[in-house]
Amino acid sequence: MARITRPSSRRPSPQQSHPVDELLPAPQLALYGFQHLLAFYAAAVIVPILVGNALGLSHQELVHLINADLLTCGIATIIQAFGVWKVGARLPLVQGVTFTAVSPMIAIGTGAGGGTAGLLVVYGAVITAGIATFAFAPVFSKLVKYFPPVVIGTILTIIGITLIPVALQDAAGGAHLIGTPAYGTAKNLAYALGTLLFILSMVRIGKPFLSSLAVLLGLVGGTAVAWAFGDADFSAVGESDWFGVTTPFHYGMPRFELLPIVAMLVVMLITMVETTGDVYAIGEITDKEVDADTVARALRADGVATVLGGVLNSFPYVAFAENIGIVRMSKVMSRYVVVVAGLFMVVLGLLPKAGSLVASIPHPVLGGAAISMFGIVAAVGVQILGKVDLREERNTLILAVSLGAALLPTTVPSFFDRMPDDVRAVLDSGITLGALTAILLNLLFNVFTSRSTMEIDWDDVGEPAH
């Protein structure tokens, strides 16, 4: 049986504060906080770019989406690390938009007509799912045993596999070019491949700091090359304001529709598992005791951040695993460093020029970077599945049928065309369909039986998965 990792018995004396609660001098807080920001930035902005491009938003609408995301990321990170009442784990955890929501949100948005009209349906589902997460947090923190490695590994593998086609579409030039001669040109593929090779070379060098910034450096390098060849347009950056505040419900009042809400509830169920794993992982790294109450507070923070995301024109939030690696590498465990990183994010979220610069990244460059990011998610899923006895027929069936269900919307896009739009919002997302299949089959085969449930080693689940 896999074990649930517990922190060691080493504890600071009563006279000493725990390293997690240490308030460092201001220069160190700023330096280490900026490092967290750099490690987080590329993964933070890629979700609004992918969703905005898929829904056909204009450049200015996309800029607003990016700035709203960064602002909300900052607020959510401060809540999670600093803690307010029973909300926030009070651990060095950075909050960001979850990749799990990308495919479902695109399906919901396009099913509602795309553009800002599609966003309104997405936001209605996001707000509702955030409220449900907050309310369900204490209960879920005691139900972890019902999500064994076969479910976690299958879901993470599905997330990676179903998002890679989105990255490949951008690598070919973006969805808006489908059907035109510009789609899939050698130049587009060269930009994507060059960006990917640059990222791999940064990792190959082996320096931990460069590796943590590989995706960000890849985006910068790829965009610079595209600009040199006249394929990156920054004219909109000059037209953007220096300062701007995202207003609640900028695109209009959210629309609350049942089946999109169901799809987003499934997304939040998955993110609750992700956050739980990250909380145990950071507890192990920092030697800080983690219990069910800590997990519940972290999940409440996810819920609050997700509701805030729906109000401030952003998306669902989860604890980011990349920054756990920064804590391990730097040995700096203070949660106040992450609070400062959150403040940096808030500042960036108030600068439309910064958002416009990010929105100007060429699609092929973005696609090349996304291939590596989404591939890592799938690889972590495979790593967790390595803990599963796949010689056991029931486990094999959970994995096999769930993968088949997840690939259905991707490989046969017209399969659900004749179904009502609301139904398609749930079934037309490979992540939602595959995750629901894995959860239900596990209940059928491993829970509603006399068989014992395999527990989770949160050390492995907490490895970088975004």
Side-chain angles (χ1 to χ4, degrees), residues 167-211:
L168 293 174
Q169 194 174 76
D170 269 329
H176 64 292
L177 294 182
I178 293 178
T180 70
Y183 187 73
T185 62
K187 181 187 287 188
N188 288 340
L189 297 179
Y191 284 139
L193 181 60
T195 301
L196 179 59
L197 289 176
F198 185 87
I199 291 171
L200 294 176
S201 68
M202 289 295 99
V203 176
R204 177 63 181 84
I205 289 173
K207 301 294 184 182
F209 184 68
L210 282 180
S211 294

Short mmCIF file of all heavy atoms in Angstrom, two decimals, residues 167-211:
data_model
loop_
_atom_site.label_atom_id
_atom_site.label_comp_id
_atom_site.label_asym_id
_atom_site.label_seq_id
_atom_site.Cartn_x
_atom_site.Cartn_y
_atom_site.Cartn_z
N ALA A 167 -2.24 23.00 -27.86
CA ALA A 167 -0.91 23.56 -28.09
C ALA A 167 -0.48 23.36 -29.54
O ALA A 167 0.10 24.27 -30.17
CB ALA A 167 0.10 22.90 -27.14
N LEU A 168 -0.75 22.20 -30.10
CA LEU A 168 -0.36 21.92 -31.49
C LEU A 168 -1.12 22.82 -32.46
O LEU A 168 -0.56 23.23 -33.49
CB LEU A 168 -0.63 20.45 -31.81
CG LEU A 168 0.25 19.43 -31.06
CD1 LEU A 168 -0.21 18.01 -31.35
CD2 LEU A 168 1.72 19.60 -31.45
N GLN A 169 -2.36 23.12 -32.14
CA GLN A 169 -3.14 24.02 -32.99
C GLN A 169 -2.51 25.41 -33.02
O GLN A 169 -2.42 26.04 -34.07
CB GLN A 169 -4.58 24.09 -32.47
CG GLN A 169 -5.57 24.71 -33.43
CD GLN A 169 -6.99 24.59 -32.90
OE1 GLN A 169 -7.40 25.31 -32.01
NE2 GLN A 169 -7.74 23.66 -33.45
N ASP A 170 -2.05 25.88 -31.85
CA ASP A 170 -1.35 27.16 -31.82
C ASP A 170 -0.02 27.08 -32.56
O ASP A 170 0.39 28.04 -33.23
CB ASP A 170 -1.11 27.60 -30.37
CG ASP A 170 -2.24 28.46 -29.84
OD1 ASP A 170 -2.85 29.19 -30.63
OD2 ASP A 170 -2.51 28.40 -28.63
N ALA A 171 0.66 25.94 -32.44
CA ALA A 171 1.93 25.77 -33.14
C ALA A 171 1.77 25.91 -34.65
O ALA A 171 2.66 26.37 -35.36
CB ALA A 171 2.54 24.41 -32.79
N ALA A 172 0.61 25.50 -35.15
CA ALA A 172 0.34 25.60 -36.59
C ALA A 172 -0.09 27.01 -37.00
O ALA A 172 -0.23 27.28 -38.20
CB ALA A 172 -0.74 24.59 -36.97
N GLY A 173 -0.34 27.89 -36.03
CA GLY A 173 -0.72 29.26 -36.36
C GLY A 173 -1.92 29.77 -35.61
O GLY A 173 -2.23 30.96 -35.67
N GLY A 174 -2.65 28.89 -34.93
CA GLY A 174 -3.83 29.31 -34.18
C GLY A 174 -5.13 28.90 -34.85
O GLY A 174 -5.20 28.75 -36.07
N ALA A 175 -6.16 28.75 -34.03
CA ALA A 175 -7.45 28.28 -34.54
C ALA A 175 -8.05 29.23 -35.58
O ALA A 175 -8.77 28.81 -36.48
CB ALA A 175 -8.43 28.10 -33.38
N HIS A 176 -7.73 30.52 -35.46
CA HIS A 176 -8.31 31.50 -36.38
C HIS A 176 -7.80 31.34 -37.81
O HIS A 176 -8.38 31.90 -38.75
CB HIS A 176 -8.02 32.92 -35.88
CG HIS A 176 -6.56 33.27 -35.87
ND1 HIS A 176 -5.66 32.69 -35.02
CD2 HIS A 176 -5.84 34.14 -36.64
CE1 HIS A 176 -4.45 33.18 -35.23
NE2 HIS A 176 -4.52 34.06 -36.21
N LEU A 177 -6.72 30.57 -37.99
CA LEU A 177 -6.16 30.38 -39.33
C LEU A 177 -6.59 29.07 -39.98
O LEU A 177 -6.23 28.81 -41.14
CB LEU A 177 -4.63 30.42 -39.27
CG LEU A 177 -3.98 31.76 -38.89
CD1 LEU A 177 -2.46 31.63 -38.93
CD2 LEU A 177 -4.44 32.87 -39.83
N ILE A 178 -7.35 28.26 -39.27
CA ILE A 178 -7.77 26.97 -39.83
C ILE A 178 -8.56 27.20 -41.11
O ILE A 178 -9.47 28.03 -41.17
CB ILE A 178 -8.63 26.18 -38.81
CG1 ILE A 178 -7.77 25.77 -37.62
CG2 ILE A 178 -9.25 24.94 -39.46
CD1 ILE A 178 -8.53 25.04 -36.53
N GLY A 179 -8.20 26.46 -42.15
CA GLY A 179 -8.88 26.62 -43.45
C GLY A 179 -8.22 27.63 -44.37
O GLY A 179 -8.66 27.81 -45.51
N THR A 180 -7.16 28.29 -43.88
CA THR A 180 -6.45 29.28 -44.70
C THR A 180 -5.07 28.74 -45.06
O THR A 180 -4.54 27.85 -44.38
CB THR A 180 -6.30 30.62 -43.97
OG1 THR A 180 -5.36 30.45 -42.89
CG2 THR A 180 -7.64 31.09 -43.42
N PRO A 181 -4.44 29.27 -46.11
CA PRO A 181 -3.10 28.79 -46.50
C PRO A 181 -2.03 29.04 -45.42
O PRO A 181 -1.00 28.37 -45.42
CB PRO A 181 -2.79 29.62 -47.76
CG PRO A 181 -4.12 30.03 -48.29
CD PRO A 181 -4.99 30.23 -47.08
N ALA A 182 -2.29 30.00 -44.52
CA ALA A 182 -1.30 30.33 -43.50
C ALA A 182 -1.24 29.29 -42.38
O ALA A 182 -0.29 29.28 -41.59
CB ALA A 182 -1.60 31.71 -42.90
N TYR A 183 -2.23 28.41 -42.31
CA TYR A 183 -2.29 27.43 -41.22
C TYR A 183 -1.32 26.29 -41.50
O TYR A 183 -1.36 25.65 -42.57
CB TYR A 183 -3.70 26.88 -41.08
CG TYR A 183 -3.91 26.00 -39.87
CD1 TYR A 183 -3.96 26.52 -38.59
CD2 TYR A 183 -4.05 24.61 -40.01
CE1 TYR A 183 -4.16 25.71 -37.48
CE2 TYR A 183 -4.25 23.80 -38.91
CZ TYR A 183 -4.30 24.35 -37.64
OH TYR A 183 -4.49 23.55 -36.55
N GLY A 184 -0.43 26.02 -40.55
CA GLY A 184 0.49 24.90 -40.69
C GLY A 184 1.65 25.15 -41.63
O GLY A 184 2.26 24.20 -42.13
N THR A 185 1.99 26.40 -41.89
CA THR A 185 3.12 26.69 -42.77
C THR A 185 4.43 26.29 -42.11
O THR A 185 4.52 26.15 -40.88
CB THR A 185 3.18 28.19 -43.12
OG1 THR A 185 3.35 28.94 -41.92
CG2 THR A 185 1.90 28.63 -43.83
N ALA A 186 5.46 26.14 -42.94
CA ALA A 186 6.78 25.76 -42.42
C ALA A 186 7.31 26.80 -41.44
O ALA A 186 7.97 26.47 -40.45
CB ALA A 186 7.75 25.56 -43.58
N LYS A 187 7.01 28.09 -41.71
CA LYS A 187 7.48 29.15 -40.83
C LYS A 187 6.86 29.02 -39.44
O LYS A 187 7.55 29.13 -38.42
CB LYS A 187 7.13 30.52 -41.43
CG LYS A 187 7.61 31.68 -40.56
CD LYS A 187 7.11 33.01 -41.08
CE LYS A 187 7.83 33.42 -42.34
NZ LYS A 187 7.48 34.81 -42.75
N ASN A 188 5.54 28.78 -39.38
CA ASN A 188 4.87 28.62 -38.08
C ASN A 188 5.45 27.45 -37.31
O ASN A 188 5.73 27.55 -36.10
CB ASN A 188 3.37 28.42 -38.28
CG ASN A 188 2.66 29.68 -38.71
OD1 ASN A 188 3.17 30.79 -38.52
ND2 ASN A 188 1.49 29.54 -39.30
N LEU A 189 5.62 26.34 -38.00
CA LEU A 189 6.16 25.15 -37.34
C LEU A 189 7.60 25.38 -36.89
O LEU A 189 8.03 24.85 -35.86
CB LEU A 189 6.06 23.95 -38.28
CG LEU A 189 4.63 23.56 -38.69
CD1 LEU A 189 4.66 22.38 -39.65
CD2 LEU A 189 3.79 23.23 -37.47
N ALA A 190 8.35 26.18 -37.65
CA ALA A 190 9.73 26.47 -37.27
C ALA A 190 9.79 27.30 -35.99
O ALA A 190 10.62 27.06 -35.11
CB ALA A 190 10.45 27.21 -38.41
N TYR A 191 8.89 28.29 -35.88
CA TYR A 191 8.84 29.08 -34.65
C TYR A 191 8.50 28.20 -33.44
O TYR A 191 9.09 28.32 -32.38
CB TYR A 191 7.79 30.19 -34.77
CG TYR A 191 8.21 31.36 -35.63
CD1 TYR A 191 7.31 31.96 -36.52
CD2 TYR A 191 9.49 31.88 -35.55
CE1 TYR A 191 7.70 33.03 -37.31
CE2 TYR A 191 9.89 32.95 -36.34
CZ TYR A 191 8.98 33.53 -37.22
OH TYR A 191 9.36 34.58 -37.99
N ALA A 192 7.52 27.32 -33.62
CA ALA A 192 7.10 26.44 -32.52
C ALA A 192 8.23 25.49 -32.13
O ALA A 192 8.55 25.33 -30.94
CB ALA A 192 5.86 25.65 -32.93
N LEU A 193 8.86 24.87 -33.14
CA LEU A 193 9.94 23.93 -32.86
C LEU A 193 11.14 24.64 -32.25
O LEU A 193 11.76 24.13 -31.31
CB LEU A 193 10.34 23.21 -34.15
CG LEU A 193 11.45 22.16 -34.02
CD1 LEU A 193 11.02 21.06 -33.04
CD2 LEU A 193 11.80 21.58 -35.39
N GLY A 194 11.45 25.83 -32.77
CA GLY A 194 12.58 26.59 -32.22
C GLY A 194 12.36 26.95 -30.76
O GLY A 194 13.28 26.86 -29.94
N THR A 195 11.14 27.38 -30.43
CA THR A 195 10.82 27.71 -29.03
C THR A 195 10.95 26.50 -28.14
O THR A 195 11.54 26.56 -27.05
CB THR A 195 9.39 28.28 -28.94
OG1 THR A 195 9.28 29.44 -29.76
CG2 THR A 195 9.05 28.64 -27.50
N LEU A 196 10.43 25.35 -28.61
CA LEU A 196 10.50 24.12 -27.83
C LEU A 196 11.96 23.69 -27.63
O LEU A 196 12.35 23.32 -26.50
CB LEU A 196 9.70 23.02 -28.53
CG LEU A 196 9.69 21.65 -27.85
CD1 LEU A 196 9.12 21.74 -26.45
CD2 LEU A 196 8.88 20.65 -28.69
N LEU A 197 12.76 23.76 -28.67
CA LEU A 197 14.17 23.37 -28.55
C LEU A 197 14.93 24.30 -27.62
O LEU A 197 15.81 23.87 -26.87
CB LEU A 197 14.82 23.37 -29.94
CG LEU A 197 14.37 22.25 -30.89
CD1 LEU A 197 15.02 22.41 -32.26
CD2 LEU A 197 14.68 20.87 -30.31
N PHE A 198 14.58 25.59 -27.64
CA PHE A 198 15.22 26.54 -26.73
C PHE A 198 14.90 26.18 -25.28
O PHE A 198 15.79 26.21 -24.41
CB PHE A 198 14.75 27.96 -27.05
CG PHE A 198 15.43 29.03 -26.26
CD1 PHE A 198 16.62 29.58 -26.70
CD2 PHE A 198 14.90 29.48 -25.06
CE1 PHE A 198 17.27 30.57 -25.96
CE2 PHE A 198 15.53 30.47 -24.31
CZ PHE A 198 16.73 31.02 -24.78
N ILE A 199 13.65 25.85 -25.01
CA ILE A 199 13.24 25.46 -23.65
C ILE A 199 14.01 24.21 -23.22
O ILE A 199 14.53 24.12 -22.10
CB ILE A 199 11.73 25.22 -23.60
CG1 ILE A 199 10.97 26.55 -23.78
CG2 ILE A 199 11.32 24.55 -22.28
CD1 ILE A 199 9.48 26.39 -23.97
N LEU A 200 14.10 23.23 -24.12
CA LEU A 200 14.81 21.99 -23.79
C LEU A 200 16.29 22.27 -23.54
O LEU A 200 16.90 21.65 -22.64
CB LEU A 200 14.65 20.99 -24.94
CG LEU A 200 13.24 20.47 -25.20
CD1 LEU A 200 13.21 19.56 -26.42
CD2 LEU A 200 12.69 19.74 -23.98
N SER A 201 16.88 23.19 -24.29
CA SER A 201 18.29 23.51 -24.08
C SER A 201 18.52 24.17 -22.73
O SER A 201 19.54 23.92 -22.07
CB SER A 201 18.80 24.41 -25.22
OG SER A 201 18.21 25.69 -25.15
N MET A 202 17.57 25.02 -22.29
CA MET A 202 17.69 25.65 -20.98
C MET A 202 17.67 24.59 -19.87
O MET A 202 18.41 24.68 -18.89
CB MET A 202 16.55 26.65 -20.77
CG MET A 202 16.62 27.91 -21.60
SD MET A 202 18.06 28.96 -21.19
CE MET A 202 19.19 28.47 -22.51
N VAL A 203 16.81 23.60 -20.04
CA VAL A 203 16.74 22.53 -19.05
C VAL A 203 18.00 21.67 -19.11
O VAL A 203 18.54 21.23 -18.09
CB VAL A 203 15.48 21.66 -19.29
CG1 VAL A 203 15.46 20.48 -18.33
CG2 VAL A 203 14.22 22.51 -19.13
N ARG A 204 18.50 21.44 -20.34
CA ARG A 204 19.68 20.59 -20.53
C ARG A 204 20.92 21.18 -19.87
O ARG A 204 21.81 20.47 -19.40
CB ARG A 204 19.94 20.38 -22.02
CG ARG A 204 21.20 19.57 -22.36
CD ARG A 204 21.08 18.14 -21.81
NE ARG A 204 22.27 17.36 -22.09
CZ ARG A 204 23.37 17.36 -21.34
NH1 ARG A 204 23.42 18.12 -20.25
NH2 ARG A 204 24.40 16.62 -21.67
N ILE A 205 21.01 22.52 -19.84
CA ILE A 205 22.16 23.17 -19.21
C ILE A 205 22.31 22.73 -17.77
O ILE A 205 23.42 22.60 -17.25
CB ILE A 205 22.01 24.71 -19.31
CG1 ILE A 205 22.21 25.16 -20.76
CG2 ILE A 205 23.01 25.42 -18.39
CD1 ILE A 205 21.92 26.62 -21.00
N GLY A 206 21.18 22.45 -17.12
CA GLY A 206 21.21 21.84 -15.80
C GLY A 206 21.23 22.80 -14.64
O GLY A 206 21.22 22.36 -13.49
N LYS A 207 21.29 24.11 -14.87
CA LYS A 207 21.25 25.06 -13.77
C LYS A 207 19.81 25.17 -13.24
O LYS A 207 18.89 25.46 -14.00
CB LYS A 207 21.71 26.44 -14.25
CG LYS A 207 23.12 26.46 -14.83
CD LYS A 207 24.17 26.15 -13.77
CE LYS A 207 25.57 26.27 -14.35
NZ LYS A 207 26.61 25.93 -13.35
N PRO A 208 19.61 24.93 -11.95
CA PRO A 208 18.24 24.92 -11.41
C PRO A 208 17.48 26.22 -11.68
O PRO A 208 16.30 26.19 -12.02
CB PRO A 208 18.46 24.70 -9.91
CG PRO A 208 19.77 24.00 -9.82
CD PRO A 208 20.59 24.56 -10.92
N PHE A 209 18.16 27.36 -11.55
CA PHE A 209 17.47 28.63 -11.75
C PHE A 209 17.03 28.78 -13.21
O PHE A 209 15.90 29.17 -13.49
CB PHE A 209 18.37 29.80 -11.35
CG PHE A 209 17.70 31.14 -11.44
CD1 PHE A 209 16.67 31.47 -10.57
CD2 PHE A 209 18.07 32.07 -12.40
CE1 PHE A 209 16.03 32.70 -10.65
CE2 PHE A 209 17.45 33.30 -12.49
CZ PHE A 209 16.42 33.62 -11.61
N LEU A 210 17.92 28.44 -14.15
CA LEU A 210 17.57 28.53 -15.57
C LEU A 210 16.45 27.56 -15.91
O LEU A 210 15.55 27.87 -16.69
CB LEU A 210 18.79 28.25 -16.44
CG LEU A 210 19.81 29.38 -16.59
CD1 LEU A 210 20.97 28.93 -17.48
CD2 LEU A 210 19.15 30.63 -17.17
N SER A 211 16.49 26.37 -15.32
CA SER A 211 15.45 25.38 -15.59
C SER A 211 14.09 25.88 -15.13
O SER A 211 13.08 25.68 -15.81
CB SER A 211 15.77 24.06 -14.87
OG SER A 211 16.94 23.48 -15.41
#
